[in-house]
Amino acid sequence: MSRTGVANPPTHADPDPRFPFPHNPTPTRCQTEPATFDFAHGDSSGETRAVREKRLARAHRACSGCPIVKDCLKWALVNQPLTKVGIFAATTPSQRTALRKRMVDRLGPDWIDVLADQDRARRERAAAARHTPLTVNQARIIRLDREINGPMPQPLTPAQQQRNMARLMAGLKAA
Ligand code: SF4
């Protein structure tokens, strides 16, 4: 599938199934205005440099505010054969090439496998957490915390944390 949601013609490369393109509940800007994200070296499609730069700046702004930008970048990096052209996650093809080199430096030549393993471990931890029910005491502490302290402001200062803990302990004793 392309990022416009339309099936691509068969290509010599398929997306890496370990990294599905991130889902967003509403269409992203690259889906609603794909022409803005077109970018290929040496192909300005007849538009002036100024017009092109303005268009690319618009694509960069759209990506910067996109809720799935992080996973989009990962998808674009691991699927190099499918992202030789175009703006993905506010990066041009040459910027992605540079980022891939950095990934090799950081994680080694098998960096894609390393990322896939990290993702799988993260999913397994999340699944385990979902399936491990809270103990009676943990549930009681959480309920009391909500009753006594209300919604938690972010971020808590150390003094607030200490005060909340004292109130929680007092509540537990009284319960
Ligand atoms: S980050 Fe940019 S290219 Fe990626 S899905 Fe969002 S709008 Fe599209």
Side-chain angles (χ1 to χ4, degrees), residues 3 21 28-30 37 62-63 66 68-69 72 87-89:
R3 61 181 168 187
F21 192 79
T28 56
R29 288 278 294 281
C30 62
F37 295 76
C63 290
C66 179
I68 56 174
V69 63
C72 175
I87 298 289
F88 286 85

